[in-house]
Amino acid sequence: MKIEEYLSAMKKRCSRRKYTNRPIDSKYVKQLEDIIALFNKESGLNIKLVIGSGAELFNGFRKSYGLFVGVQNYIAMIGNKDLPDRMEKVGRYGEKIILEATAMGLSSCWVGTSYDKKAATTLCRANDTLDCVIAIGYSDEKHSLKERMMEYGMNRQSKAKEALIETEAPLPEWFNHGMDAVYLAPTARNLRPFVFKYKDGQVTASITVPTETAMIDLGIAKLHFELGAGGGSWEYGNGSYYCFDDKRKESDKQ
C-alpha cells in the first residue's frame, strides 16, 4: 500500500477482542498470504497465517482469561532465535500486516500473553520462537461492553503525547506529524515504553520502560513515525537513528 493508505488504515485501526463466526473472504486470505510471504522474505521472520484454528488458542477462560471471544484465525509472529533485531521486526512487520488487514475491512488485536502459547508453538521450526500472535477476523461494528471497559481502562493510564518527546529545539512539522502517528500505535498495556528525541536535526527512538515486549512496541512505534513523517526509514536497534530521504533533506534546508 501507499503511505496515504497506511495512514488511513492507521486512523481506523483499533484493537478488537470479540469476533463473529464469519470466515475471512478467500480473496483476502490470498492477499494476506502474499503479503506475509513478502514480509518474511524482507525480514527473515517466519510469520504464519492460521485460518480456522483460533479456538485452539483462545477458547475457554483458562486460555484467554475471558478477554477474547470468537477468535477463529490468527497470525503467528515467529522468528529464528538468532535473527538480529527479531522482536523489533516482529513489531514492524506485524503492524504492517495489521494495517493491510484493516484496509481490507478486517479487525485485529496484538496478543502477547492471553492465549495458549503451547498450542501455537507446533508451527515453529527448529530454533524458532513464537513472540506473540495477532487475532484477526471480522467484528461487529458495535464494541462489546467488555471491549469498551478495557478501552476505558487503557486510555486512563495512557501517557500524554508530550511525555513521548524530548527536544532542545522547535520541532519541524514533519516530526509532529510523525508523533501524531506514534500516538496511534498500539502497545502492550498501553504503556508506550519509549521516547523519541529530536536534537541537532536528528531523530532517535529509545526504550524507557524495559518490558519483555518493549522492542516489539518500539518496532510498531517506529513504523508509525516513519509513515506519519511521510517517508524515510529507521536503523534497527534501541536508540537508533531515523534516516531522512532526499526529499526531506531538501525541505529542511529551505
Side-chain angles (χ1 to χ4, degrees):
M1 295 197 303
K2 296 179 180 179
I3 288 179
E4 295 78 11
E5 294 171 310
Y6 276 118
L7 289 173
S8 177
M10 191 186 298
K11 293 171 183 176
K12 293 177 183 176
R13 185 217 64 82
C14 62
S15 299
R16 300 301 305 272
R17 294 171 176 83
K18 184 177 181 180
Y19 294 82
T20 70
N21 59 6
R22 175 185 168 188
I24 298 178
D25 296 351
S26 58
K27 66 177 180 179
Y28 294 143
V29 172
K30 178 64 166 61
Q31 288 180 31
L32 287 170
E33 289 174 340
D34 290 345
I35 289 164
I36 288 171
L38 174 63
F39 290 168
N40 279 339
K41 186 175 181 179
E42 286 184 9
S43 65
L45 294 169
N46 183 29
I47 305 167
K48 293 185 178 179
L49 173 65
V50 181
I51 299 295
S53 299
E56 297 177 3
L57 271 65
F58 295 96
N59 276 13
F61 185 84
R62 290 184 179 180
K63 293 185 178 181
S64 68
Y65 308 102
L67 298 177
F68 290 87
V69 177
V71 179
Q72 303 295 319
N73 322 287
Y74 65 93
I75 298 166
M77 300 303 298
I78 298 169
N80 189 286
K81 293 176 183 178
D82 299 323
L83 179 68
D85 306 302
R86 186 192 74 250
M87 294 189 75
E88 185 177 343
K89 289 176 179 178
V90 163
R92 177 180 178 83
Y93 286 95
E95 184 68 2
K96 287 189 81 171
I97 294 168
I98 283 177
L99 295 177
E100 296 269 4
T102 301
M104 299 174 195
L106 295 167
S107 298
S108 60
C109 186
W110 284 96
V111 189
T113 57
S114 305
Y115 69 100
D116 185 351
K117 189 169 184 176
K118 189 178 294 185
T121 53
T122 56
L123 299 169
C124 295
R125 302 175 301 202
N127 210 41
D128 273 353
T129 185
L130 174 70
D131 288 308
C132 60
V133 301
I134 297 168
I136 189 167
Y138 294 101
S139 294
D140 291 330
E141 185 174 340
K142 186 177 180 180
H143 290 216
S144 68
L145 176 61
K146 185 174 289 186
E147 285 179 314
R148 296 198 302 272
M149 290 176 64
M150 290 190 68
E151 289 160 9
Y152 175 74
M154 291 292 189
N155 289 333
R156 285 195 66 184
Q157 66 184 37
S158 179
K159 292 180 182 177
K161 190 191 308 179
E162 293 73 20
L164 307 179
I165 301 171
E166 287 186 14
T167 181
E168 298 177 355
L171 295 171
E173 186 176 8
W174 57 263
F175 182 92
N176 286 321
H177 289 325
M179 291 308 300
D180 287 342
V182 168
Y183 206 65
L184 296 175
T187 62
R189 302 189 300 281
N190 217 21
L191 288 176
R192 297 189 172 117
F194 42 70
V195 64
F196 285 70
K197 300 178 183 180
Y198 180 80
K199 184 178 181 180
D200 299 328
Q202 293 186 311
V203 181
T204 58
S206 305
I207 293 298
T208 54
V209 184
T211 67
E212 290 183 9
T213 59
M215 288 307 297
I216 294 177
D217 293 337
L218 186 64
I220 296 170
K222 285 162 74 171
L223 171 69
H224 274 234
F225 181 94
E226 177 184 317
L227 294 170
S233 60
W234 285 93
E235 298 173 348
Y236 282 111
N238 186 21
S240 62
Y241 285 90
Y242 170 70
C243 305
F244 301 88
D245 56 25
D246 292 338
K247 188 176 181 180
R248 176 70 42 69
K249 290 177 181 177
E250 290 302 318
S251 68
D252 282 358
K253 292 176 183 178
Q254 297 174 0

